[in-house]
């Protein structure tokens, strides 16, 4: 089955930047919509961003619009989340997730999940 592995999480100061990566194995990603989710300590998991299978559609939660950018390179079976102007409230475990789709859609229920990478924003 599809396996997703996140990387790039780190401790970063407020205002700093990180780029998270989600690498797929088992299958290429060209038929999968991908989402980034996060779960902060003591809070529910929330959707952060998603991208359609060829990159034609992207969505972001309001709290990260203008600061985060999702992208994908299907040839490398990798999806990225560029995070700029990081705030302490961005601190969370970030997960990537995927589901097979036949159209250029983004927000949908996700079937496969990675194990997460921790982002800590603190001075």
């Amino acid at each position: 089955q599809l396996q997703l592995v996140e990387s790039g999480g780190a401790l970063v100061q407020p205002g700093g930047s990180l780029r998270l990566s989600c690498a797929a194995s088992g299958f290429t990603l060209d038929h999968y919509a991908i989402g980034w989710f996060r779960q902060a300590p003591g809070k529910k998991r929330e959707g952060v961003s998603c991208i359609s299978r060829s990159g034609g559609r992207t969505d972001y939660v309001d709290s990260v619009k203008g600061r985060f950018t999702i992208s994908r390179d299907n040839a490398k079976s990798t999806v990225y989340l560029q995070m700029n102007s990081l705030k302490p409230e961005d601190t969370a475990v970030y997960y990537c997730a995927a589901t097979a789709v036949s159209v250029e859609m983004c927000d949908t229920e996700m079937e496969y999940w990675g194990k997460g990478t921790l982002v800590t924003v603190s001075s």
Side-chain angles (χ1 to χ4, degrees), residues 25-117:
S25 62
F27 297 89
T28 56
L29 290 179
D30 58 328
H31 286 180
Y32 291 84
I34 305 295
W36 283 99
F37 298 77
R38 66 186 180 186
Q39 188 165 24
K43 296 185 178 181
K44 296 180 179 179
R45 185 176 65 200
E46 67 169 344
V48 177
S49 183
C50 64
I51 188 166
S52 60
R53 66 187 219 172
S54 67
R57 172 74 184 275
T58 58
D59 285 310
Y60 301 89
V61 67
D62 286 346
S63 61
V64 309
K65 287 181 178 177
R67 299 189 298 120
F68 291 10
T69 303
I70 190 170
S71 62
R72 65 191 298 162
D73 186 341
N74 286 346
K76 296 182 179 179
S77 295
T78 303
V79 178
Y80 306 96
L81 185 67
Q82 178 67 46
M83 306 186 296
N84 299 326
S85 301
L86 283 162
K87 303 175 180 179
E89 51 262 45
D90 295 318
T91 296
V93 176
Y94 283 72
Y95 302 87
C96 66
T99 196
V101 293
S102 60
V103 297
E104 282 287 293
M105 66 183 299
C106 182
D107 281 321
T108 188
E109 187 71 25
M110 297 296 175
E111 184 177 7
Y112 303 100
W113 291 79
K115 294 184 178 180
T117 186

